[in-house]
Amino acid sequence: MGQILRGLALRLPEERERARGRMHEPGGSVDSMPVIDAAFELAVRRRFAPGTDLREIGSFVADVRVGFGPTIDVLAMEALIRRALGEETHIDDLNAKTVIELKCATLVAVHDVLSWSDADTDQLLAEAEALVRAKGFSPAVG
């Protein structure tokens, strides 16, 4: 999953598709969602400090919507970001596909806003996978 997220963030569609193909092979990736969750939370915490004013988060989300289009659910993305910062928000009614899309869009946007290098992206994804493994998940790809 980390390689898919890397390909997404760095705009490397061939890398993303190769990794996606390996996930469907026998012995491919398991426990992908925890990697997305961990990468999202790490990215959000690198972009925003706990207690960040909602207007700053709202401005960021509005910019993400400009870049990704009107399908971005602004209120849901704000709620996910605020939850990652430790606030209690209501996100239980969001379907899994929406959550994945919003978390991936946020990861890409944070990557762009903070002008991460390839090494910065690799470090974040390695941290995310290490956190997931420490919790007993197996986010191996191929």
Side-chain angles (χ1 to χ4, degrees):
M1 177 46 62
Q3 290 301 309
I4 292 173
L5 294 174
R6 183 180 193 278
L8 184 67
L10 298 177
R11 311 306 195 286
L12 301 170
E14 296 85 14
E15 181 176 322
R16 185 182 69 235
E17 291 308 313
R18 264 193 316 275
R20 189 178 309 218
R22 288 192 308 265
M23 288 182 67
H24 299 291
E25 295 173 359
S29 182
V30 295
D31 298 329
S32 298
M33 194 60 200
V35 175
I36 294 170
D37 292 341
F40 168 78
E41 287 189 22
L42 289 169
V44 166
R45 291 178 186 165
R46 281 176 167 80
R47 171 61 181 89
F48 300 103
T52 296
D53 189 282
L54 183 56
R55 290 172 292 199
E56 184 178 343
I57 294 170
S59 177
F60 171 83
V61 171
D63 289 344
V64 173
R65 190 168 196 207
V66 167
F68 283 86
T71 60
I72 294 294
D73 183 334
V74 171
L75 295 177
M77 184 177 272
E78 287 178 3
L80 288 169
I81 290 170
R82 290 173 51 217
R83 170 73 63 94
L85 295 172
E87 292 183 41
E88 287 297 320
T89 60
H90 181 72
I91 59 170
D92 297 335
D93 59 340
L94 298 177
N95 68 56
K97 183 177 186 250
T98 298
V99 170
I100 291 169
E101 289 171 353
L102 293 174
K103 287 183 176 185
C104 288
T106 302
L107 177 63
V108 171
V110 170
H111 170 275
D112 292 350
V113 167
L114 297 181
S115 301
W116 284 345
S117 67
D118 292 7
D120 295 329
T121 302
D122 292 342
Q123 179 182 354
L124 177 119
L125 295 172
E127 286 177 41
E129 289 181 341
L131 287 170
V132 168
R133 283 190 186 94
K135 293 179 180 178
F137 294 102
S138 301
V141 175

